[in-house]
Amino acid sequence: MARRRLPPLKALPAFEEAARHLSFSAAAQELHVTHGAVSRQMKSLESYLGVRLFHRLNRRLALTDAGSALLPAVRTALDIVENGATRLSAAARHGPLVISCLPTFMMRWLIPRLYDFNARHPGVDVRLSASSESVDFAREGIDVAIRLGAPPWPDGVEARAFMAEKIGPVCSPDLVSRRKLRSPADLRHLPLLHTETRADAWPDWLARRRTADIDPSKGQRFEHFYFLLEAAVGGLGVAMAPKPLVEEDLRLGRLIAPLGFVQSGRRYHMLYPAELSNAEKVRTFRNWAIEAARSQRPPS
């Protein structure tokens, strides 16, 4: 496809306003720019087209024949762009709620609770996308992203923290039936499990518990968090896990947390484009997630 030969696009809204008001000053007020900016845009457009669009009279403007011929085409083009953007914005506000979520958080916290959300809000069609990468909301069609982190966030993105993260060592009950685990010092005699996606988990926890005589690098490593937790359930060692991701395993007795949990200093956030902050589907999910995080009831 041949490259498009387009005029200076920024000048087109200025041309339409100047033609409507027959005044650069009035056009500048409508567009919230200076008189000089409108004048420069008109000169740029005229230079590109090779014709004069306005007669500059003493205190007013008048369209030339070329300007009168161009105006309907510009209005039609701007109307098409405006209508397309309006339809897209409406779809973003009222279409399915697309949530990008950390994969293990999605599997172990969000999905077990979606039955409750769907029961309360049957009109909201939820679609999930697993990712831990940065989000391009417009390009990927994402409404809400759940991430673990802290500001600063990208421009145009709002964030709402909804759950503080607690972490602690978890393991199979069978593992501690053979070797005691009553204090951090007992970890010296147990295999530690690690994940590449959270390599600092053990050092952070040991520092918070002021335990300096344990090598935080020893033990087996797993590429994904899900594999790490399955290894802990299988009795291969002790994993450092966020409490929200092991609540069901603790409830069922697949894992135990002999040393409890401490605050990690991190929070789970909901991120969304600022223009969708008050969209009903985003507001509905945001309020539900905050309530679900506060509730101590396990998912049904």
Side-chain angles (χ1 to χ4, degrees):
M1 180 178 176
R3 180 174 175 271
R4 292 184 184 275
R5 297 181 64 251
L6 298 173
L9 297 181
K10 281 188 176 181
L12 299 184
F15 168 70
E16 183 192 33
E17 291 297 336
R20 183 161 68 93
H21 293 286
L22 293 177
S23 165
F24 287 170
S25 296
Q29 289 180 345
E30 289 280 354
L31 298 170
H32 304 288
V33 297
T34 64
H35 178 283
V38 173
S39 180
R40 287 191 295 274
Q41 287 174 347
M42 291 307 94
K43 288 179 180 178
S44 173
L45 184 57
E46 289 177 330
S47 175
Y48 177 87
L49 297 173
V51 295
R52 296 283 297 275
L53 299 174
F54 295 96
H55 294 299
R56 274 77 165 174
L57 307 177
N58 282 339
R59 295 193 175 182
R60 64 186 180 87
L61 299 173
L63 282 168
T64 65
D65 290 344
S68 295
L70 180 63
L71 182 59
V74 169
R75 281 180 172 160
T76 298
L78 294 177
D79 284 345
I80 290 172
V81 172
E82 182 181 32
N83 291 337
T86 299
R87 288 194 299 270
L88 183 62
S89 177
R93 287 181 169 273
H94 303 296
L97 175 67
V98 184
I99 303 171
S100 170
C101 190
L102 301 165
T104 309
F105 187 88
M106 177 191 295
M107 288 188 293
R108 290 177 164 261
W109 191 89
L110 181 56
I111 287 177
R113 290 167 171 78
L114 274 185
Y115 178 85
D116 177 72
F117 179 83
N118 292 337
R120 296 185 186 206
H121 307 287
V124 181
D125 178 14
V126 177
R127 300 182 185 179
L128 302 178
S129 173
S131 175
S132 56
E133 304 297 325
S134 298
V135 182
D136 185 329
F137 289 93
R139 182 174 63 82
E140 299 173 43
I142 300 298
D143 299 308
V144 177
I146 296 178
R147 295 293 187 268
L148 183 66
W153 307 111
D155 292 339
V157 172
E158 292 187 7
R160 177 65 183 268
F162 69 102
M163 182 164 52
E165 184 193 54
K166 294 183 177 181
I167 60 173
V170 298
C171 61
S172 162
D174 291 341
L175 185 69
V176 294
S177 70
R178 302 189 301 269
R179 306 179 191 178
K180 67 177 182 178
L181 180 53
R182 298 171 186 166
S183 72
D186 293 331
L187 291 166
R188 289 195 302 268
H189 310 296
L190 292 166
L192 304 186
L193 304 178
H194 308 265
T195 176
E196 300 294 342
T197 58
R198 189 85 176 256
D200 59 351
W202 275 107
D204 282 355
W205 182 85
L206 291 169
R208 289 178 184 276
R209 294 299 300 263
R210 296 181 172 84
T211 304
D213 56 348
I214 294 174
D215 180 3
S217 65
K218 70 174 184 176
Q220 193 169 357
R221 296 184 176 275
F222 297 87
E223 184 178 2
H224 297 295
F225 213 99
Y226 178 80
F227 300 151
L228 170 83
L229 296 181
E230 289 303 305
V233 169
L236 296 184
V238 185
M240 184 57 57
K243 186 178 180 183
L245 305 189
V246 294
E247 288 177 335
E248 184 70 358
D249 293 306
L250 296 173
R251 185 175 72 84
L252 296 176
R254 284 159 41 94
L255 291 173
I256 59 173
L259 304 181
F261 295 89
V262 297
Q263 297 283 354
S264 73
R266 304 185 186 191
R267 291 178 177 271
Y268 291 95
H269 290 77
M270 289 175 282
L271 311 178
Y272 37 85
E275 63 267 23
L276 293 183
S277 176
N278 291 317
E280 183 177 358
K281 62 181 180 180
V282 172
R283 187 172 65 250
T284 296
F285 179 78
R286 182 174 61 217
N287 293 340
W288 171 84
I290 292 170
E291 180 183 344
R294 288 175 179 165
S295 173
Q296 299 302 311
R297 293 179 290 105
S300 56

